[in-house]
């Protein structure tokens, strides 16, 4: 997804979650060979969440087996 689509997606998640609810999600980081992949910087995603009332509740994770994916959990404020 393009950055504006990701931000819209996060806004909708924030809209439907009740305060304290958790949302686990993943996104791509770094270049990939897949046509659908976008390179979203971890700090950008954290800022986009924060701007929409979603606090990242853990440190975004990457796994050596899947180096182009990052996982995080956001908590609705």
């Amino acid at each position: 997804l393009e950055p504006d689509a990701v931000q819209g997606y996060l806004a909708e998640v924030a809209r439907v979650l009740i305060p304290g609810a958790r949302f686990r999600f993943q996104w791509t980081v770094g270049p990939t060979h897949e046509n659908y992949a976008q390179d979203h910087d971890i700090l950008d995603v954290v800022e986009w969440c924060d701007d929409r009332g979603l606090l990242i509740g853990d440190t975004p994770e990457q796994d050596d087996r899947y180096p182009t994916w990052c996982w995080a959990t956001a908590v609705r404020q």
Side-chain angles (χ1 to χ4, degrees):
L1 297 172
E2 297 292 331
D4 60 335
V6 173
Q7 292 173 58
Y9 180 78
L10 293 170
E12 181 64 8
V13 168
R15 185 187 72 78
V16 300
L17 290 179
I18 62 172
R22 297 181 186 284
F23 169 64
R24 184 79 171 157
F25 64 106
Q26 67 187 38
W27 69 94
T28 56
V29 292
T32 73
H33 66 281
E34 303 293 338
N35 291 334
Y36 64 84
Q38 297 290 321
D39 178 8
H40 298 306
D41 184 85
I42 291 171
L43 296 177
D44 287 339
V45 174
V46 169
E47 180 180 333
W48 297 340
C49 286
D50 187 55
D51 289 348
R52 283 146 190 89
L54 297 167
L55 177 66
I56 298 295
D58 57 8
T59 302
E61 305 169 29
Q62 285 183 272
D63 186 319
D64 290 340
R65 295 172 295 169
Y66 307 100
T68 59
W69 287 96
C70 192
W71 291 265
T73 302
V75 179
R76 175 68 168 105
Q77 300 299 295

